[in-house]
C-alpha cells in the first residue's frame, strides 16, 4: 500500500539528545540505543471507521519518537500495518451492507488524509494484512512443523506454552490474561484448546466471509497477531528498537506477537522496547469504535479546526497518561497556537538556543511533550513581555517546533 506524503523536517543547529522511553516489559525507563538505522513498528488502524482522537494521540506519540531519532541523526525504518481484514471490519461491512474492501479502502484513504493534515511522518512501509498473506502462510506452516501450532476443527492455533518467555511483555497473571483475551478478540472459552489463551493463527474459511489460499492450512484468513509479526519480521527483523501502540495492545496483541516471533526464530527479544500510549476518553469512557463515543479528526477538519491546533491538543498530554477529550482541551490548544504564531511573526525576539535544548531534553525524557510546550510558552511570554534583539530567534523557534513537535507555525 502507499503511505502518505512526508512534511519537511527542518534541520536544527546543535545536537539532539538520546531518547529514553518507558518499556512495558521492564516496567521502567530504558535507554533506546538504535544502530545507525532505528527500527520502529507501530500497529496501524483497523479501517472500519474514521480516525478518532485516540488513534491520533497514539500516532502522535510515535511520530515524536521518529522526530527525536531524526534529530539525533539516525535513519528511521518505520513500518506500520493496516488490519484490512478482521472480524470487526467484516461485522461493520455486514451491518451496513457495505463491501468490506470498499469500506477498508475508504477509511484507509481518510486516515492518510488525517495523518497528512496532522503532519505525522509516514512509515517507509505501509502494509495491509491482505497483501501480507503470502508471507503469513509460510510462517504459520513453520510454527506447525515446529510443533508450536495445532489444528482445531480446521482452524490453526498457536500454543503459548511453547514460548518460555510468554508473559514477559505484559507481566500479567493468568487470570488477567484470560479476561483480557476474552475482551480483545480471543476465545478462551472455546473447548478443545491446549491452553485457553492460545490465539488463532489461521481461521478456516467461514460461509459468506472472504478467504484466501492457505496452502497446507486450507482456505481461510490470518489471525491478528501473526499479521503484525509477518510484516515486522520482513521489514525490520528480530530485536527491532520499538514496538508501539496504545495500551490496549499490551495484551494479548503485543504479548502474542512477541511469542510468535520468538518461537519462529528461536531468538529473543522480538523488540527491545514495548512502548504504549494511554487511552483517550470521551464522556468518561475510552474512545472506541465499538462504543461509538468518538470525535473524528476528519470531522474537526471539516468544521474548520486548524490541524495544528488538534496536534497541540494531543501534545498537551503526556503520551502515557489516560486523558479526556473536551471542547476546552481544543480551545486551549487553539489559544496556544495563536500565541505562538503571534510570537514568531515578530522580526526579532529573545534568543532561542536554550529553548531548542529544553525541547530536546523534554522529548528525550520519555517524550515529555507537555514540558516541551511549557518551554515554548515561556519563550513566547518573554517575547511578549520584553521582546528581544535576536533576529534569528523567531525563525529558529518555528523550525524547532516544526522539526521536533510537528507543528507548523
Ligand atoms: N489494527 C489493530 C492494531 S494491529 C488496532 O488496534 N487497530 S485500531 O484501529 O483499533 O487502533 C489503532 C491504534 O489506536 C492502536 O495502537 C490502538 O491502541 C490505538 N487506540 C485505539 N483507541 C484508542 C484510544 N481511545 N486512545 C488512544 N489510542 C487508541
Ligand atoms: Zn498490530
Amino acid at each position: 500500500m502507499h503511505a502518505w506524503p512526508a512534511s519537511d523536517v527542518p534541520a536544527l543547529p546543535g545536537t539532539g539528545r538520546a531518547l529514553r522511553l518507558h518499556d512495558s516489559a521492564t516496567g521502567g525507563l530504558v535507554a533506546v540505543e538504535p544502530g545507525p538505522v532505528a527500527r520502529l513498528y507501530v500497529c496501524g488502524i483497523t479501517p472500519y471507521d474514521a480516525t478518532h482522537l485516540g488513534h491520533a494521540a497514539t500516532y502522535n506519540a510515535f511520530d515524536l519518537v521518529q522526530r527525536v531519532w531524526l534529530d539525533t541523526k539516525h535513519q528511521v525504518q518505520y513500518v506500520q500495518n493496516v488490519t484490512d481484514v478482521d472480524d470487526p471490519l467484516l461485522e461493520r461491512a455486514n451491518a451496513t451492507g457495505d463491501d468490506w474492501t470498499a469500506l477498508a479502502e475508504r477509511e484507509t484513504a481518510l486516515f492518510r488524509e488525517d495523518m497528512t493534515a496532522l503532519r505525522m511522518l509516514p512509515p517507509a512501509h505501509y502494509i495491509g494484512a491482505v497483501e501480507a498473506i503470502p508471507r503469513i502462510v509460510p510462517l504459520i506452516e513453520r510454527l506447525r512443523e515446529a510443533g508450536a501450532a495445532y489444528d482445531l476443527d480446521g482452524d490453526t492455533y498457536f500454543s503459548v506454552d511453547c514460548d518460555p518467555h510468554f508473559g514477559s511483555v505484559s507481566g500479567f497473571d493468568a487470570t488477567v490474561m484470560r479476561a483480557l483475551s476474552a475482551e480483545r478478540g480471543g476465545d478462551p472459552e472455546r473447548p478443545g484448546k491446549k491452553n485457553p489463551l492460545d490465539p488463532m493463527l489461521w481461521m478456516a474459511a467461514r460461509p459468506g466471509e472472504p478467504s484466501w489460499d492457505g496452502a497446507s492450512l486450507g482456505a481461510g484468513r490470518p489471525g491478528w497477531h501473526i499479521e503484525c509479526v509477518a510484516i515486522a519480521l520482513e521489514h525490520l527483523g528480530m530485536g527491532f528498537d520499538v514496538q508501539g501502540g496504545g495500551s490496549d495492545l499490551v495484551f494479548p496483541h503485543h504479548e502474542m506477537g512477541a511469542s510468535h516471533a520468538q518461537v519462529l526464530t528461536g531468538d529473543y527479544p522480538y523488540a527491545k522496547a514495548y512502548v504504549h500510549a494511554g487511552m483517550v476518553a470521551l464522556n468518561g469512557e475510552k474512545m472506541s469504535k465499538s462504543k461509538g463515543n468518538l470525535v473524528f479528526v476528519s470531522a474537526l477538519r471539516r468544521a474548520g479546526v486548524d490541524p495544528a491546533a488538534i496536534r497541540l491538543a494531543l501534545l498537551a498530554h503526556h503520551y502515557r497518561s489516560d486523558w479526556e477529550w473536551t471542547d476546552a482541551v481544543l480551545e486551549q490548544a487553539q489559544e496556544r497556537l495563536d500565541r505562538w504564531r503571534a510570537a514568531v511573526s515578530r522580526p526579532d525576539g529573545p534568543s532561542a538556543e536554550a529553548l531548542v535544548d529544553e525541547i530536546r531534553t523534554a522529548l528525550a525524557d520519555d517524550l515529555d511533550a507537555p514540558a516541551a510546550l511549557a518551554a515554548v510558552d515561556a519563550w513566547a511570554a518573554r517575547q511578549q513581555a520584553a521582546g528581544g534583539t535576536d533576529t534569528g530567534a523567531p525563525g529558529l523557534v518555528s523550525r524547532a517546533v516544526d522539526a521536533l513537535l510537528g507543528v507548523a507555525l
Side-chain angles (χ1 to χ4, degrees):
M1 283 193 178
H2 66 284
W4 54 91
S7 48
D8 277 347
V9 182
L12 298 173
T15 36
R17 295 200 171 237
L19 181 61
R20 291 192 318 156
L21 286 173
H22 184 273
D23 167 35
S24 299
T26 51
L29 288 186
V30 293
V32 181
E33 291 167 334
V37 180
R39 295 175 294 163
L40 171 66
Y41 187 94
V42 180
C43 283
I45 53 162
T46 305
Y48 68 89
D49 218 336
T51 321
H52 60 64
L53 266 312
H55 300 135
T58 289
Y59 296 111
N60 177 56
F62 297 99
D63 189 66
L64 296 180
V65 170
Q66 231 200 130
R67 288 172 185 278
V68 172
W69 279 341
L70 293 174
D71 188 44
T72 49
K73 306 287 178 260
H74 287 91
Q75 278 183 52
V76 181
Q77 175 79 323
Y78 174 23
V79 181
Q80 191 181 124
N81 68 305
V82 185
T83 307
D84 58 359
V85 62
D86 202 5
D87 296 339
L89 177 78
L90 298 175
E91 280 160 20
R92 173 64 61 89
N94 255 339
T96 57
D98 246 336
D99 174 60
W100 67 275
T101 52
L103 173 64
E105 273 169 28
R106 195 171 66 234
E107 297 305 345
T108 305
L110 190 56
F111 177 72
R112 291 189 187 98
E113 280 175 28
D114 290 336
M115 291 295 105
T116 309
L118 293 171
R119 293 173 88 78
M120 306 283 182
L121 296 171
H125 299 278
Y126 192 46
I127 314 284
V130 171
E131 63 182 327
I133 289 173
R135 244 97 53 221
I136 294 172
V137 169
L139 294 189
I140 302 174
E141 289 179 316
R142 262 169 55 197
L143 284 170
R144 226 178 32 183
E145 281 151 27
Y150 58 94
D151 178 276
L152 183 58
D153 299 331
D155 299 325
T156 308
Y157 279 87
F158 175 73
S159 181
V160 295
D161 296 318
C162 291
D163 176 21
H165 296 288
F166 179 71
S168 63
V169 173
S170 66
F172 294 154
D173 65 33
T175 318
V176 173
M177 285 184 181
R178 199 172 161 135
L180 289 176
S181 163
E183 208 178 289
R184 299 176 181 164
D187 55 3
E189 307 301 331
R190 181 169 176 176
K193 290 170 67 173
K194 289 189 181 166
N195 182 320
L197 298 173
D198 291 346
M200 207 184 275
L201 290 163
W202 188 255
M203 180 191 273
R206 307 287 200 260
E209 285 194 359
S211 63
W212 289 264
D213 177 11
S216 68
L217 308 170
R221 61 182 167 95
W224 174 27
H225 320 304
I226 193 71
E227 163 196 342
C228 284
V229 170
I231 296 168
L233 288 183
E234 182 178 14
H235 295 286
L236 299 174
M238 284 299 278
F240 60 90
D241 296 290
V242 171
Q243 159 75 77
S247 58
D248 57 344
L249 298 188
V250 175
F251 192 91
H253 188 51
H254 290 167
E255 188 79 70
M256 296 301 178
S259 267
H260 290 351
Q262 282 150 195
V263 172
L264 265 167
T265 62
D267 207 357
Y268 175 85
Y270 176 51
K272 290 190 200 141
Y274 298 86
V275 179
H276 293 104
M279 290 292 114
V280 180
L282 183 72
N283 305 327
E285 271 201 283
K286 173 194 158 184
M287 236 184 238
S288 74
K289 288 178 277 205
S290 47
K291 290 201 197 93
N293 57 336
L294 306 170
V295 178
F296 295 121
V297 174
S298 46
L300 292 177
R301 290 198 289 118
R302 267 199 310 276
V305 176
D306 188 330
I310 303 174
R311 182 106 193 208
L312 277 182
L314 306 175
L315 290 163
H317 302 85
H318 192 276
Y319 81 96
R320 284 211 288 131
S321 58
D322 296 327
W323 56 281
E324 170 108 13
W325 179 266
T326 61
D327 290 344
V329 165
L330 185 58
E331 280 158 25
Q332 283 156 16
Q334 184 64 58
E335 186 270 327
R336 174 176 264 139
L337 183 63
D338 295 343
R339 243 185 312 121
W340 289 12
R341 284 192 171 145
V344 300
S345 67
R346 308 256 289 260
D348 47 26
S351 69
E353 281 78 13
L355 169 62
V356 174
D357 198 47
E358 282 164 24
I359 300 173
R360 281 177 162 146
T361 304
L363 292 182
D365 177 18
D366 199 25
L367 307 175
D368 191 348
L373 299 197
V376 182
D377 283 344
W379 180 86
R382 282 200 301 280
Q383 165 77 304
Q384 204 189 8
T389 55
D390 185 342
T391 52
L396 178 57
V397 173
S398 287
R399 285 195 299 282
V401 166
D402 188 359
L404 296 170
L405 301 171
V407 174
L409 293 179

